[in-house]
């Protein structure tokens, strides 16, 4: 195996804005109709959109997310569909040198007709395409029609004619058609989402008219970066209809100030495409940093194309300056895997992201902004865009840039082998080139990965024998793997984003053997798939944990959007329909639950306990990973979000409501945490810090369940340093318990500065089911602060230990957000929680519901 230490060139955030004279750019978003091809009945459509959502808006199908309706709409993907738009053009609108249609995304097999002329045949959902259509446009009435072929009918002949069956176990139809289509793999079903194979105009279509020349793309490329200067090159792609001499001008845009000129260069353009390189520099550059380390500083740069001193095209971009180095090479402990930003190793904290909806155009700007607000509140500095979904919209990466969240970007391949015929490889080349060029300027892009889990599956999932491949068949599949992931994709990265780290498959190592945890990144599924208990997280720690997780149910509020009270059973048809991991699924949740907790009294209690169970288990994992720094340098849990409402591994529900897990992540990802764990009979307490230097006091306390202190110790002048994990204290467990039953003792550690907690963590010696928790008396007071118009404050005080306090409001929208939830209160403790709301305190008090652990048990 080859090992890599690549230093990325500077990549710059792009928020493209094209605006200039003689240059018109309009979306074709209104006036669309759709019809089933074999019916010809035209109905109103929404663009961007999908066939399913248009049928739903016309009340022609039931909501696929409700009940068992997913099964009732499987006919949709077996039909051909068509969309059309009619509009008028004036003669003067046709006088541009070039008039183009730009298709940002067609899903997936589409023939495009303009005034009955076939102008484009498209077969890759992930590729944007531009067609010069001036010759087919007319003054007066025009019609754009797009015929979408059924992806099932299109790809079924390929499956039937193929000599092998590809091992695409995720495909819910049991016929691996997803491997033939360059289309979002999760549309065909996954173990957390439904099978809803869409078609439609999923991204905008633009009509772009221009004279003489236009700017297609600007690649702001760093050549050198230090504290004194950033040496840059603007690589500008220009399409010219009229050859000749032009000027290229680069400007730095400062609000309310005349834009200073960075460079001006005369260029001679030939008709067609031209690539112009213009060098420039930025003195004393301010660097872009990931969240928690520094500010994600951005510049605004603009490239102008001038003809006779007149700007005829321009592109304005936000720019962030930074270097990224992904270190993946042998070391004394095995094989390292970590990220350095601006020369500094950074522990990665985040999650794996899947698309936010099965119907992608429903993901609004507001949903994207809420997603990143939640990641920021949860102290993320990385998110992995997983390879079974999509290359996200530009806004996603813009928000990552603005919030200092690095993006681990997979290419869209996952959990199966793929064809390697010339046509398929050529389509992938176009897909890779298109998306690398679109994303390469974003400083948030940390790395590219070829696929999810295919390499580890080849070695460990038994495909060769399980699918009874002949030796020539298997060798052909392996050769195809190498062509796609070790030749085509790395070549495209090197060509279009040189210097960026690429590796062919995640994870690098499996999780079955001890030595696996010394090599690169790891997807550890011993917990859940391997049915190992949560304590295994403390011993199975890799160099970088890029997947691990545990399932829970969504909240009752979310469940009520797809199920009735009659469905409140984990084995009901509806609950089973919304559980896409049937091999283990609900039974696994119950098995783990009864191992750690007492039996819940009813279905809502089961739902609550499933979330507490998930959160507590993942807390063990995250703290173990952070304590192991610098051996382990990253923790990305599975998964951040959902694409529909159902049981899954997510921390955020489909509607954005936080599960218990997301609250626990917010605590466990804080810049400074204190964490206790039993190691070889000793209770050890660690401090883990991202960005902090100074001294603190460590206070350790053990009490009984009434709050009576049975053991206490303080350590003064504890040194804390940035990007570090240090063991601060160790004591024999017996010395703390002093002969008491472990289930009757509470231990908590406090890290304090100036008599104020900067970190606190509670540790229990026994599983929750062994603790005899009494019903607490909770005092609750709600109030408002004049300076905070959008918040209500809830003060809680308890007389006894109370675990996993869950605050909720009757009939509250998903946007209702408590800043803390599912927390423990120590005997006699008072805590004040802020609720984001415009409601009056007395209304909140009336609607407030409190659930605690002991209240959910069957007695």
């Amino acid at each position: 195996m080859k090992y890599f230490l690549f230093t990325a060139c500077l990549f710059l955030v792009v928020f493209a804005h094209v605006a200039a004279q003689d240059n018109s750019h309009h979306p074709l978003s209104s006036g669309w109709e759709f019809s089933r091809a074999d019916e010809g009945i035209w109905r109103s459509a929404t663009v961007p959109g999908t066939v399913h959502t248009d049928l739903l808006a016309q009340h022609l199908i039931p909501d696929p997310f409700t009940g068992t309706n997913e099964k009732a709409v499987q006919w949709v993907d077996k039909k051909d569909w068509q969309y059309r738009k009619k509009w008028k053009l004036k003669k003067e609108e046709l006088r541009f040198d070039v008039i183009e249609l730009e298709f940002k995304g067609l899903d997936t097999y589409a023939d495009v007709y303009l005034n009955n002329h076939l102008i484009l045949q498209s077969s890759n959902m992930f590729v944007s395409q531009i067609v010069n259509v001036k010759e087919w446009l007319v003054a007066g009435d025009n019609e754009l029609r797009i015929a979408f072929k059924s992806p099932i009918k299109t790809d079924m002949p390929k499956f039937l004619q193929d000599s092998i069956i590809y091992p695409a176990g995720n495909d819910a139809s049991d016929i691996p058609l997803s491997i033939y289509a360059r289309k979002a793999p999760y549309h065909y079903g996954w173990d957390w989402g439904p099978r809803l194979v869409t078609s439609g105009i999923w991204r905008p279509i633009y009509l772009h008219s221009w004279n003489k020349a236009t700017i297609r793309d600007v690649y702001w490329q760093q050549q050198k970066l230090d504290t004194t200067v950033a040496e840059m090159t603007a690589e500008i792609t220009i399409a010219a209809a009229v050859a000749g001499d032009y000027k290229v001008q680069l400007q730095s845009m400062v609000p309310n100030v005349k834009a200073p000129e960075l460079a001006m260069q005369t260029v001679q353009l030939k008709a067609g495409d031209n690539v112009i390189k213009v060098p420039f520099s930025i003195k004393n550059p301010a660097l872009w940093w990931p969240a928690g380390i520094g500010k994600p500083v951005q510049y605004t740069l603009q490239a102008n194309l001038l003809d006779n001193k007149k700007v005829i095209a321009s592109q304005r971009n936000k720019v962030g300056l930074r270097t990224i180095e992904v270190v993946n090479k042998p070391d004394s402990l095995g094989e390292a895997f970590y990220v350095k930003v601006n020369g500094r190793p950074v522990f990665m904290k985040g999650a794996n992201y899947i698309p936010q909806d099965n119907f992608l155009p429903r993901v609004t700007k507001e949903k994207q902004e809420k997603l990143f607000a939640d990641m920021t509140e949860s102290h993320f500095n990385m998110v992995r865009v997983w390879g079974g979904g999509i290359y996200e919209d530009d806004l996603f990466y813009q928000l990552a840039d603005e919030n200092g969240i690095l993006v681990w970007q997979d290419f869209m391949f996952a959990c199966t082998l793929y064809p390697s015929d010339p046509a398929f490889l050529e389509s992938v080349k176009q897909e890779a080139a298109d998306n690398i060029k679109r994303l390469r300027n974003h400083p948030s892009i940390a790395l590219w990965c070829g696929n999810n889990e295919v390499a580890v599956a080849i070695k460990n999932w038994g495909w060769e024998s399980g699918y009874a491949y002949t030796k020539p068949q298997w060798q052909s599949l392996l050769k195809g793997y190498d062509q796609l992931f070790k030749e085509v994709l790395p070549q495209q990265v090197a060509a279009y984003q040189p210097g960026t780290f690429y590796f062919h498959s995640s994870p690098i190592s499996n999780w079955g053997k001890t030595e696996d945890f010394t090599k690169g990144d790891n997807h550890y599924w011993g917990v859940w798939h391997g049915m190992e208990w949560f304590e295994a997280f403390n011993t199975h720690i890799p160099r970088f944990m890029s997947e691990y997780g545990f399932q829970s149910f969504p909240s009752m509020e979310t469940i009520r959007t797809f199920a009735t009270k009659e469905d409140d059973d984990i084995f009901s048809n509806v609950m089973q329909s919304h559980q896409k991991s049937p091999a283990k699924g609900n039974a696994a949740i119950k098995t783990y639950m009864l191992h750690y907790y007492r039996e819940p009294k009813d279905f809502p209690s089961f739902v609550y306990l499933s979330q507490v169970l998930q959160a507590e288990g993942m807390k063990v994992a995250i703290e173990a990973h952070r304590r192991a720094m610098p051996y382990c340098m990253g923790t990305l849990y599975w998964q951040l979000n959902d694409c529909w409402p159902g049981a899954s591994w997510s921390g955020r529900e489909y509607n954005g409501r936080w599960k218990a897990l997301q609250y626990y992540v917010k605590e466990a990802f804080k810049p400074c945490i204190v964490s206790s764990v039993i190691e070889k009979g000793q209770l050890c307490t660690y401090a883990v810090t991202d960005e902090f230097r100074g001294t603190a006091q460590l206070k350790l306390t053990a009490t009984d369940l009434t709050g009576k202190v049975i053991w206490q110790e303080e350590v003064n002048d504890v040194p804390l340093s940035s990007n570090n994990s240090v063991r601060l204290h160790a004591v024999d467990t017996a010395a703390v318990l002093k002969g008491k039953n472990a289930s009757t003792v509470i231990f908590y550690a406090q890290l304090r500065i100036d008599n104020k907690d900067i970190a606190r963590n509670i540790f229990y010696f026994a599983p929750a089911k062994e603790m005899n928790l009494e019903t607490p008396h909770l005092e609750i007071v709600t109030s408002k602060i004049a300076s905070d118009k959008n918040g209500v404050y809830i003060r809680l005080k308890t007389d006894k230990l109370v675990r996993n306090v869950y605050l909720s409001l009757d009939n509250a929208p998903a946007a209702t957000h408590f800043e803390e939830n599912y927390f423990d209160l120590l005997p006699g403790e008072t805590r004040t929680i802020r609720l984001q709301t415009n409601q009056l305190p007395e209304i909140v008090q009336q609607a407030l519901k409190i659930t605690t652990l002991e209240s959910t048990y069957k007695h």
Side-chain angles (χ1 to χ4, degrees):
M1 177 178 183
K2 294 182 179 178
Y3 301 90
F4 300 93
L5 175 57
F6 284 152
T7 302
C9 292
L10 171 73
F11 300 108
L12 307 151
V13 64
V14 169
F15 176 62
H17 172 71
V18 178
Q21 300 175 31
D22 296 322
N23 199 324
S24 172
H25 199 249
H26 299 295
L28 299 182
S29 55
S30 62
W32 285 91
E33 298 176 299
F34 82 112
S35 77
R36 212 171 91 178
D38 59 354
E39 285 184 343
I41 301 172
W42 292 95
R43 299 178 172 91
S44 175
T46 298
V47 170
T50 71
V51 170
H52 287 79
T53 48
D54 286 328
L55 289 169
L56 188 60
Q58 295 288 337
H59 307 289
L60 296 174
I61 59 171
D63 186 346
F65 287 8
T66 300
T68 59
N69 289 343
E70 176 197 352
K71 297 177 182 177
V73 300
Q74 293 304 305
W75 63 270
V76 175
D77 62 37
K78 316 299 188 300
K79 299 294 182 180
D80 298 334
W81 300 88
Q82 53 187 344
Y83 282 72
R84 73 180 182 188
K85 174 184 170 61
K86 298 178 180 181
W87 79 105
K88 292 181 181 292
L89 285 173
K90 298 177 182 178
K91 278 187 177 180
E92 54 266 31
E93 293 178 289
L94 299 177
R95 290 173 182 166
F96 288 92
D97 291 337
V98 177
I99 305 176
E100 299 170 330
L101 282 173
E102 182 178 9
F103 302 88
K104 289 292 189 179
L106 299 175
D107 177 16
T108 290
Y109 296 110
D111 292 342
V112 183
Y113 298 87
L114 180 60
N115 295 330
N116 292 320
H117 296 281
L118 179 63
I119 63 168
L120 174 67
Q121 290 183 298
S122 182
S123 59
N124 190 319
M125 173 181 177
F126 303 125
V127 174
S128 62
Q129 295 165 99
I130 296 175
V131 183
N132 187 346
V133 295
K134 182 176 178 178
E135 65 178 293
W136 297 298
L137 289 169
V138 297
D141 294 330
N142 291 269
E143 182 186 80
L144 178 63
R145 181 170 61 87
I146 305 176
F148 289 97
K149 300 173 186 176
S150 159
I152 307 307
K153 291 196 301 183
T154 300
D155 289 329
M156 185 63 77
K158 301 173 189 175
F159 168 76
L160 294 175
Q161 294 166 14
D162 216 325
S163 61
I164 61 172
I165 296 175
Y166 289 87
N170 61 285
D171 201 313
S173 69
D174 295 324
I175 300 175
L177 297 183
S178 61
I179 60 99
Y180 297 104
R182 290 315 300 147
K183 172 176 174 58
Y186 82 106
H187 282 169
Y188 295 81
W190 219 271
D191 58 3
W192 35 257
R195 183 190 182 280
L196 294 166
V197 185
T198 59
S199 291
I201 305 167
W202 78 289
R203 281 181 170 158
I205 299 175
Y206 292 95
L207 186 65
H208 184 199
S209 306
W210 49 274
N211 288 322
K212 293 190 175 180
T214 191
I215 295 175
R216 293 283 192 215
D217 178 60
V218 181
Y219 179 20
W220 304 95
Q221 190 175 14
Q222 176 194 316
Q223 306 300 331
K224 175 187 174 184
L225 178 66
D226 58 33
T227 57
T228 61
V229 67
E231 298 289 351
M232 313 287 295
T233 299
E235 183 179 296
I236 307 168
T237 302
I238 300 171
V242 179
D245 289 340
Y246 296 80
K247 289 184 183 293
V248 170
Q249 178 191 48
L250 305 182
Q251 293 176 295
S252 176
M253 312 303 291
V254 181
N256 304 316
V257 176
K258 183 179 179 180
E261 186 175 281
L262 298 173
M264 177 74 85
Q265 182 172 310
T266 299
V267 296
Q268 188 173 46
L269 301 181
K270 68 180 191 305
D273 289 338
N274 301 260
V275 177
I276 307 299
K277 295 184 178 182
V278 182
F280 68 101
S281 62
I282 297 175
K283 294 181 180 179
N284 303 314
L287 301 185
W288 184 96
W289 288 95
I293 304 299
K295 294 182 179 180
V297 177
Q298 298 179 87
Y299 294 82
T300 301
L301 302 181
Q302 181 166 305
N304 298 319
L305 181 63
L306 292 83
D307 178 49
N308 294 324
K309 298 183 180 181
K310 178 183 178 182
V311 175
I312 61 171
S314 67
Q315 183 169 306
R316 181 179 297 180
N317 313 117
K318 284 188 176 179
V319 169
L321 309 176
R322 94 292 184 266
T323 60
I324 283 191
E325 185 179 327
V326 179
V327 180
N328 178 213
K329 63 177 183 178
D331 63 9
S332 61
L333 301 173
E335 180 185 327
F337 193 103
Y338 64 93
V339 179
K340 293 172 72 174
V341 182
N342 299 325
R344 174 177 172 176
V346 181
F347 187 95
M348 294 291 106
K349 302 179 298 182
N352 289 263
Y353 168 86
I354 65 170
Q356 294 175 63
D357 205 307
N358 268 85
F359 306 125
L360 289 161
R362 298 202 300 201
V363 181
T364 62
K365 177 176 182 283
E366 291 73 23
K367 288 182 179 180
Q368 294 278 34
E369 290 172 341
K370 179 63 165 61
L371 177 83
F372 276 88
D374 288 351
M375 284 193 269
T376 299
E377 184 179 343
S378 301
H379 308 290
F380 279 36
N381 60 16
M382 176 173 269
V383 63
R384 178 188 178 213
V385 179
W386 168 78
I390 62 169
Y391 307 94
E392 264 296 335
D393 285 345
D394 294 340
L395 177 61
F396 181 96
Y397 302 96
Q398 177 191 338
L399 290 168
D401 298 335
E402 293 173 358
N403 289 280
I405 295 176
L406 291 165
V407 176
W408 166 321
Q409 181 66 54
D410 281 0
F411 286 100
M412 294 302 116
F413 301 92
C415 301
T416 184
L417 291 163
Y418 290 87
S420 56
D421 58 273
F424 186 88
L425 294 180
E426 182 58 35
S427 180
V428 172
K429 281 183 183 179
Q430 295 175 16
E431 169 188 326
D434 190 59
N435 285 283
I436 295 168
K437 288 191 287 186
R438 180 171 69 91
L439 302 182
R440 62 188 175 183
N441 287 317
H442 290 276
S444 56
I445 297 292
L447 61 87
W448 288 90
C449 179
N451 66 70
N452 175 74
E453 296 186 343
V454 183
V456 76
I458 289 171
K459 295 180 180 179
N460 298 284
W461 291 8
W463 284 347
E464 182 179 7
S465 59
Y467 285 82
Y469 295 126
T470 65
K471 193 166 185 177
Q473 285 176 331
W474 185 242
Q475 291 303 314
S476 176
L477 287 170
L478 297 184
K479 181 181 177 181
Y481 177 93
D482 288 348
Q483 283 180 287
L484 178 54
F485 298 113
K486 297 182 181 180
E487 295 175 19
V488 170
L489 290 178
Q491 287 169 3
Q492 296 300 86
V493 173
Y496 295 107
Q497 199 174 359
T500 305
F501 180 80
Y502 169 89
F503 68 127
H504 64 88
S505 185
S506 175
I508 291 170
S509 59
N510 196 35
W511 54 267
K513 300 176 182 178
T514 302
E515 56 266 29
D516 289 330
F517 294 89
T518 67
K519 300 176 183 177
D521 76 309
N522 190 281
H523 296 183
Y524 174 56
W525 287 105
V527 173
W528 184 261
H529 289 300
M531 294 301 288
E532 297 172 2
W533 302 125
F534 293 145
E535 289 75 18
F537 282 131
N538 285 324
T539 54
H540 293 69
I541 301 173
R543 308 303 300 275
F544 192 110
M545 187 74 91
S546 48
E547 272 193 31
Y548 62 99
F550 193 86
Q551 274 202 3
S552 70
F553 273 68
S555 63
M556 287 303 302
E557 292 87 347
T558 297
I559 287 173
R560 284 292 166 259
T561 66
F562 67 82
T564 66
K565 288 185 178 180
E566 287 69 32
D567 303 311
D568 285 356
D569 185 301
I570 64 173
F571 299 114
S572 71
N573 287 338
V574 170
M575 293 304 161
Q576 292 283 58
S577 175
H578 286 253
Q579 169 58 268
K580 296 301 180 180
S581 182
K584 291 188 169 60
N586 298 343
I589 294 173
K590 186 174 182 179
T591 298
Y592 277 87
M593 185 182 294
L594 296 181
H595 180 76
Y596 290 103
Y597 297 92
R598 297 181 185 181
E599 186 177 356
K601 65 183 180 184
D602 53 24
F603 183 75
S605 298
F606 179 91
V607 168
Y608 160 87
L609 271 176
S610 77
Q611 292 202 15
V612 170
L613 173 73
Q614 177 194 37
E616 291 282 356
M618 298 294 277
K619 176 179 185 282
V620 174
I622 293 171
E623 291 187 14
H625 303 156
R626 295 194 70 188
R627 287 194 307 266
M629 182 169 57
Y631 177 83
C632 176
M633 283 298 289
T635 178
L636 307 178
Y637 64 89
W638 185 273
Q639 66 204 62
L640 174 59
N641 60 298
D642 280 328
C643 67
W644 85 319
S648 81
W649 293 267
S650 72
R652 295 173 78 254
E653 297 175 8
Y654 167 68
N655 51 27
R657 182 178 278 111
W658 282 28
K659 292 182 179 179
L661 170 58
Q662 203 61 44
Y663 286 101
Y664 273 52
V665 166
K666 178 180 175 179
E667 288 295 312
F669 278 177
K670 280 184 173 179
C672 180
I673 66 167
V674 60
S675 175
S676 299
V677 64
I678 294 177
E679 296 175 340
K680 297 179 180 179
Q682 288 195 313
L683 181 60
C684 301
T685 300
Y686 291 75
V688 184
T689 49
D690 290 338
E691 184 68 12
F692 184 86
R693 291 183 184 275
T695 59
Q697 177 195 51
L698 177 66
K699 186 175 182 180
L700 306 170
T701 305
T703 74
D704 62 19
L705 299 186
T706 69
K708 181 181 178 181
V709 175
I710 60 176
W711 180 90
Q712 196 167 55
E713 193 166 316
E714 294 182 5
V715 182
N716 294 315
D717 298 325
V718 173
L720 300 177
S721 59
S722 297
N723 210 33
N724 193 32
S725 171
V726 59
R727 192 173 79 171
L728 302 178
H729 188 271
V731 60
D732 287 342
T733 304
V736 177
L737 293 174
K738 293 187 174 179
K740 292 187 176 293
N741 187 313
S743 65
T744 66
V745 178
I746 311 164
F747 177 87
Y748 57 97
Q750 298 161 277
L751 208 55
R752 299 170 65 82
I753 294 178
D754 297 331
N755 294 318
K756 293 181 180 179
D757 285 358
I758 61 169
R760 188 185 86 165
N761 209 338
I762 302 174
F763 177 85
Y764 298 101
F765 293 92
K769 71 177 182 180
E770 295 179 12
M771 300 181 70
N772 293 317
L773 301 172
E774 297 181 11
T775 302
H777 173 69
L778 285 171
E779 297 178 13
I780 305 164
V781 178
T782 59
S783 62
K784 206 161 181 66
I785 298 175
S787 60
D788 186 359
K789 296 180 180 180
N790 297 317
V792 167
Y793 292 81
I794 303 163
R795 182 168 59 84
L796 301 100
K797 184 178 181 181
T798 180
D799 61 337
K800 298 179 178 68
L801 171 68
V802 55
R803 296 197 61 179
N804 305 116
V805 178
Y806 170 46
L807 306 176
S808 60
L809 297 181
D810 282 330
N811 302 315
T816 302
H817 183 61
F818 295 88
E819 291 192 352
E820 297 177 67
N821 224 332
Y822 296 93
F823 50 84
D824 291 3
L825 289 175
L826 297 171
E829 183 179 4
T830 299
R831 183 178 296 197
T832 300
I833 308 298
R834 183 181 182 275
L835 168 65
Q836 179 82 16
T837 182
N838 294 320
Q839 294 182 351
L840 296 172
E842 52 268 30
I843 300 299
V844 170
Q845 182 118 7
Q846 292 173 6
L848 187 65
K849 291 172 56 179
I850 297 180
T851 306
T852 59
L853 182 60
E854 91 291 333
S855 71
T856 64
Y857 286 162
K858 181 184 288 187
H859 295 291

